[in-house]
């Protein structure tokens, strides 16, 4: 079955909305557990709020196209986000695993928003460019934060571990 550009674009919006649901779950679980990394907690809390707004932007774009998100996809990705967070929580180096996963996840979101901008152009939905570009810039900013702070997180973790202190979160 052949799809037109609009249908492909709508599928992309639905998938991006589910991705933001996953991000919200992951970030929510992480900020609950950070106590020895105040800068990381602050950055994740800020990005959690951005992710909630990004989800709302995607809802507005979908509504403008006469459709909505997929509750099933949201449930599945939300569940996966919770499972990823739980999987890391049992590890002594949880904070390192989360830092690495966050860096990778941000780049996945960047690629998703870049693709959505292209799909919006192909579908003739020029009104989507500004909100999608704003979300893209927010994801890029968070990815830059992850990269710029990776060394500090690793050093803090190693210092706490070497002192016999709780280092994971």
């Amino acid at each position: 079955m052949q799809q037109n550009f609009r249908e492909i674009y709508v599928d992309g919006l639905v998938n991006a909305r589910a991705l933001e649901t996953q991000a919200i779950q992951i970030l929510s679980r992480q900020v609950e557990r950070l106590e020895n990394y105040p800068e990381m907690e602050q950055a994740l809390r800020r990005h959690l709020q951005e992710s909630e707004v990004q989800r709302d932007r995607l809802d507005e774009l979908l509504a403008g196209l006469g459709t909505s998100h997929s509750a099933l996809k949201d449930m599945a990705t939300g569940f996966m986000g919770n499972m990823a967070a739980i999987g890391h929580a049992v590890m002594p180096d949880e904070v390192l695993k989360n830092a690495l996963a966050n860096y990778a996840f941000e780049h996945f979101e960047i690629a998703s928003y870049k693709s959505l901008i292209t799909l919006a152009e192909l579908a003739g939905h020029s009104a989507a460019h500004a909100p999608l570009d704003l979300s893209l810039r927010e994801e890029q900013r968070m990815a830059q934060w992850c990269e710029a702070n990776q060394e500090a997180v690793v050093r803090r973790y190693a210092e706490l571990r070497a002192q016999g202190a709780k280092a994971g979160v």
Side-chain angles (χ1 to χ4, degrees):
M1 177 172 95
Q2 188 174 1
Q3 289 187 309
N4 64 38
F5 290 141
R6 184 186 184 282
E7 291 170 338
I8 296 167
Y9 169 58
V10 168
D11 286 345
L13 289 172
V14 169
N15 290 336
R17 206 280 188 185
L19 187 62
E20 289 302 343
T21 298
Q22 183 177 12
I24 290 164
Q25 290 301 315
I26 290 169
L27 293 168
S28 295
R29 299 298 77 81
Q30 287 182 25
V31 297
E32 291 171 351
R33 299 182 47 75
L34 288 171
E35 62 186 54
N36 292 316
Y37 302 85
E39 296 85 7
M40 187 176 188
E41 181 183 359
Q42 181 182 5
L44 294 181
R45 284 191 188 282
R46 184 193 77 241
H47 195 57
L48 173 58
Q49 291 174 340
E50 287 175 340
S51 296
E52 290 168 344
V53 172
Q54 290 167 358
R55 181 189 57 200
D56 294 343
R57 282 185 205 127
L58 292 164
D59 283 342
E60 289 173 15
L61 291 172
L62 286 164
L65 294 167
T67 190
S68 65
H69 66 278
S70 165
L72 180 61
K73 283 185 181 183
D74 286 352
M75 185 178 69
T77 57
F79 177 77
M80 290 184 326
N82 277 316
M83 290 299 97
I86 290 169
H88 290 176
V90 300
M91 304 296 172
D93 61 347
E94 172 187 2
V95 72
L96 296 182
K97 287 181 174 26
N98 287 342
L100 297 173
N102 291 346
Y103 182 73
F105 197 85
E106 292 308 318
H107 282 85
F108 188 84
E109 288 182 300
I110 288 167
S112 295
Y113 279 109
K114 285 182 176 183
S115 296
L116 277 176
I117 290 168
T118 300
L119 290 171
E121 290 172 10
L122 290 170
H125 194 211
S126 59
H129 185 78
L132 292 174
D133 188 61
L134 180 55
S135 293
L136 171 62
R137 285 183 278 126
E138 290 165 348
E139 298 300 350
Q140 290 169 326
R141 189 171 43 250
M142 187 60 192
Q144 289 168 349
W145 186 94
C146 290
E147 182 174 2
N149 288 275
Q150 182 176 355
E151 182 179 341
V153 170
V154 171
R155 286 183 183 279
R156 177 81 175 135
Y157 170 79
E159 290 166 2
L160 288 169
R161 257 329 264 276
Q163 296 168 6
K166 185 177 177 186
V169 292

